[in-house]
Amino acid sequence: LKELDRPGWAANLATQSVESIQLMLAANRANQRLRAKAYDALARSERFEDALQLAANWGGREDSSVRDDLAWLGSRASLHVFRDTPKLIEDAFAAITRHPHEAQLYVILGVAYEATSDEDDELRARACYAKAMDLSWGDVRDLAQTALDRLDEE
């Protein structure tokens, strides 16, 4: 798909309907790079519900790529879809089992733990953020540090 290398392609993708993006992704099911571009374009334009809808087709499965799991779980966390926080925690654990070295998954799990009212879950959230810091650098590490600092202030 040569359009992936054209400047502005992702910005154009962000303006397309979720249905047209789904059709394109369905026609290129094995192309993880294309899905990653679609997720990124939707997230950058704050279309988290659409990203969640797309990622639900690939995330949360035994053969899910790390990018699919990040989009599926991250969209849920970005939308604050915590009506079923225990399910989000369960799904994040499963993703971490598949991708134990992906720091962003630990941040998502920490966010889910923070959404509960259990004091033990605050300790679990801290452990998740600390693990994310051990595994990462840059933006993910900064995000985990900010979360730890916020918990320290409470």
Side-chain angles (χ1 to χ4, degrees):
L1 293 170
K2 295 188 186 264
E3 62 264 13
L4 289 176
D5 298 320
R6 281 189 307 196
W9 178 83
N12 181 40
L13 181 65
T15 63
Q16 293 183 24
S17 72
V18 69
E19 292 80 16
S20 65
I21 297 170
Q22 282 178 321
L23 288 173
M24 178 183 58
L25 295 179
N28 298 282
R29 290 192 70 77
N31 191 332
Q32 292 182 19
R33 182 175 173 218
L34 180 61
R35 287 199 309 274
K37 292 277 190 180
Y39 298 144
D40 288 344
L42 293 173
R44 288 180 199 279
S45 59
E46 298 183 5
R47 290 176 58 190
F48 299 115
E49 289 182 23
D50 291 342
L52 176 59
Q53 187 177 346
L54 290 177
N57 294 316
W58 289 279
R61 300 177 182 189
E62 286 301 316
D63 62 344
S64 296
S65 74
V66 68
R67 190 66 184 122
D68 293 323
D69 281 340
L70 284 170
W72 182 56
L73 296 166
S75 295
R76 289 164 65 188
S78 294
L79 289 167
H80 304 290
V81 181
F82 295 120
R83 291 182 295 271
D84 192 4
T85 302
K87 180 66 174 148
L88 180 58
I89 290 170
E90 177 185 322
D91 292 343
F93 258 114
I96 287 170
T97 300
R98 288 188 296 276
H99 315 289
H101 302 293
E102 180 53 55
Q104 289 176 297
L105 291 173
Y106 291 93
V107 171
I108 292 168
L109 182 57
V111 168
Y113 277 133
E114 279 192 78
T116 70
S117 57
D118 187 341
E119 284 184 32
D120 289 337
D121 283 346
E122 181 181 325
L123 295 174
R124 290 180 182 104
R126 287 177 183 279
C128 290
Y129 296 137
K131 180 67 174 180
M133 289 183 64
D134 288 344
L135 291 173
S136 67
W137 59 89
D139 291 344
V140 176
R141 184 180 179 85
D142 293 345
L143 185 61
Q145 183 63 60
T146 300
L148 283 171
D149 291 345
R150 184 182 62 251
L151 289 174
D152 287 340
E153 291 174 5
E154 293 178 359

